[in-house]
């Protein structure tokens, strides 16, 4: 099964996604897509590591190559938490030549492979672009790619949840799956 957990910064989405994975009762793999750069980046990575401590997640760093992480043998049959789609998109667009053409399809293809290999997949995604600010063209393109990808993945998900102020709000629930709350 596939789940999408979305929300703004510090909305509780990561905690909810981890809780969801904990309920699956199988091995847990955490795909960490954030490139730990700068003091703030290192602090966020440290915070997320401490939140996962003792929960049985095996971490695979995937900021260099999300598709390579999908091919990692530890993903097979595991409950996989991808943290987060926004970082996957940023890594795809801003790690080298800025090439947004085909980015949605490339990432969607890797997510499809992940879903085929894993037992369950929980994807965390950021809500960006709702602040009304005018951004440079590259940032607007990032927002477009992330938004389009989030929409496409949400269509395929068994559950889509938005976290607001620490409260998970179910936006979509498919089938009568026995899924942890």
């Amino acid at each position: 099964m596939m789940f999408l957990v979305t929300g703004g910064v510090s909305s509780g989405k990561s905690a909810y996604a981890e809780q969801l994975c904990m309920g699956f009762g199988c091995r847990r793999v955490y795909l960490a897509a954030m490139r730990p750069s700068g003091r703030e980046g290192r602090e966020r990575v440290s915070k997320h590591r401490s939140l996962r401590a003792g929960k049985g997640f095996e971490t695979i760093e995937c900021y260099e190559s999300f598709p390579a992480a999908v091919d990692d043998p530890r993903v097979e049959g595991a409950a996989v938490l991808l943290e987060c789609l926004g970082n996957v998109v940023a890594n795809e667009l801003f790690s080298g030549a800025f090439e947004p053409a085909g980015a949605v399809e490339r990432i969607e293809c890797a997510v499809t492979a992940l879903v085929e290999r894993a037992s369950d997949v929980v994807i965390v995604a950021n809500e960006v672009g709702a602040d009304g600010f005018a951004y440079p063209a590259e940032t607007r393109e990032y927002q477009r790619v992330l938004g389009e990808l989030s929409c496409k993945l949400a269509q395929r998900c068994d559950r889509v949840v938005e976290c607001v102020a620490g409260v998970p709000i179910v936006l979509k629930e498919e089938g009568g799956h026995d899924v942890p709350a």
Side-chain angles (χ1 to χ4, degrees), residues 13-175:
K13 61 190 176 293
S14 296
Y16 176 79
E18 288 175 14
Q19 175 188 342
L20 189 58
C21 280
M22 299 291 290
F24 292 131
C26 60
R27 283 183 313 103
R28 290 180 286 282
V29 171
Y30 183 94
L31 296 181
M34 183 175 178
R35 185 178 303 275
S37 60
R39 184 181 59 79
E40 183 180 344
R42 289 188 300 275
E43 286 173 1
R44 287 193 72 73
V45 168
S46 179
K47 174 188 169 191
H48 280 267
R49 284 181 180 150
S50 67
L51 289 172
R52 289 194 313 276
K55 294 181 180 175
F57 282 95
E58 185 169 359
T59 301
I60 300 172
E61 302 286 343
C62 65
Y63 52 83
E64 291 295 330
S65 173
F66 175 54
V70 170
D71 289 338
D72 190 297
R74 295 172 286 181
V75 166
E76 193 70 42
V80 176
L81 172 54
L82 172 59
E83 178 87 41
C84 81
L85 191 61
N87 286 317
V88 170
V89 171
N91 296 340
E92 173 77 17
L93 294 181
F94 300 111
S95 297
F98 183 76
E99 295 188 28
V104 170
E105 293 76 15
R106 289 190 300 273
I107 296 169
E108 188 177 18
C109 182
V111 169
T112 297
L114 178 62
V115 170
E116 289 171 357
R117 297 195 66 227
S119 164
D120 298 286
V121 175
V122 178
I123 301 168
V124 176
N126 291 318
E127 287 295 323
V128 297
D131 56 14
F133 289 110
Y135 289 99
E138 285 183 343
T139 303
R140 287 194 314 271
E141 190 61 14
Y142 163 79
Q143 292 170 321
R144 183 198 65 75
V145 169
L146 179 57
E148 183 179 337
L149 190 56
S150 293
C151 288
K152 283 185 168 209
L153 294 178
Q155 293 295 316
R156 297 172 45 194
C157 284
D158 297 283
R159 179 187 291 170
V160 178
V161 174
E162 178 181 19
C163 290
V164 178
V167 178
I169 301 166
V170 177
L171 302 176
K172 175 187 174 185
E173 186 81 51
E174 294 269 321

